[in-house]
Amino acid sequence: TQSMDVAIENALDRFSRIDVLINNAVYQDREVNAMLLDLDDEALQRSLFGNVVAPFHLAKKVLPHMIAQGGGSIIHSASGFGVQGESTLTAYGSSKAALIHLNRMIATQYGKQNVRSNCMVIGFVLTPLAIESTPDVVKDILLSHHLTPELGAPDDIANLVAFLASDESK
């Protein structure tokens, strides 16, 4: 949490306030995110720390500043694996489910103090790495189960973040 304190201090020194916190860290390791009986405690702890504990601490450190200045926006990046089952990503999916609920708690507890907390539940996004490393047949399967005519793009996420960070999202 010391590096978090430094980052917050730097932001306050430079801008005198913190209007937006984006918790976008992702810890996912398919090699160790196994089925429950195969999952070791260390892998679970790493996933929980990266996807829940760190966002918890950042929100806890930023909230007093947001409340004192009259409001702000906290945006969390979760995953579809946090709301649906999956055969191997036990630690990752469980940690993202916890992040989704942490978001609900923050929104409920601090919404009346003009602090918004929103959580993006992100599915498959066609990042350059995903385009290169995902076989076309897999992309076709994902698209066939998708509710819109195309898979997500990085700009879709960026546009949502910009909206949620803005006062228009109140």
Side-chain angles (χ1 to χ4, degrees):
T1 64
Q2 185 178 11
S3 60
M4 294 177 193
D5 292 335
V6 170
I8 290 167
E9 252 180 65
N10 288 341
L12 290 170
D13 286 347
R14 183 163 182 192
F15 302 108
S16 303
R17 55 186 294 129
I18 298 176
D19 294 303
V20 179
L21 168 63
I22 302 171
N23 279 321
N24 192 41
V26 174
Y27 181 84
Q28 176 186 11
D29 184 349
R30 281 194 180 270
E31 298 302 315
V32 296
N33 273 286
M35 293 174 62
L36 184 67
L37 293 176
D38 300 323
L39 182 64
D40 65 62
D41 287 349
E42 292 79 24
L44 175 63
Q45 292 300 323
R46 285 190 303 271
S47 195
L48 288 171
F49 182 83
N51 295 324
V52 184
V53 175
F56 168 89
H57 285 296
L58 275 167
K60 188 173 181 178
K61 291 173 180 292
V62 166
L63 272 165
H65 300 285
M66 289 183 170
I67 292 167
Q69 71 193 23
S73 177
I74 300 174
I75 305 165
H76 307 277
S77 293
S79 167
F81 294 121
V83 296
Q84 67 189 29
E86 207 273 341
S87 62
T88 62
L89 294 173
T90 305
Y92 178 74
S94 297
S95 67
K96 289 302 186 174
L99 179 63
I100 291 167
H101 198 72
L102 173 64
N103 168 72
R104 288 184 188 119
M105 300 302 282
I106 295 168
T108 302
Q109 294 168 7
Y110 299 99
K112 294 282 187 190
Q113 292 168 288
N114 205 29
V115 176
R116 299 181 311 279
S117 186
N118 289 282
C119 191
M120 303 178 295
V121 179
I122 301 170
F124 186 79
V125 177
L126 290 169
T127 62
L129 178 62
I131 291 168
E132 179 183 317
S133 65
T134 307
D136 287 339
V137 66
V138 172
K139 288 183 237 175
D140 291 341
I141 291 168
L142 291 169
L143 183 58
S144 73
H145 291 88
H146 211 264
L147 300 177
T148 58
E150 56 191 39
L151 294 172
D155 283 350
D156 298 329
I157 307 303
N159 291 334
L160 179 57
V161 168
F163 172 71
L164 292 173
S166 74
D167 290 337
E168 284 78 22
S169 72
K170 67 180 182 174

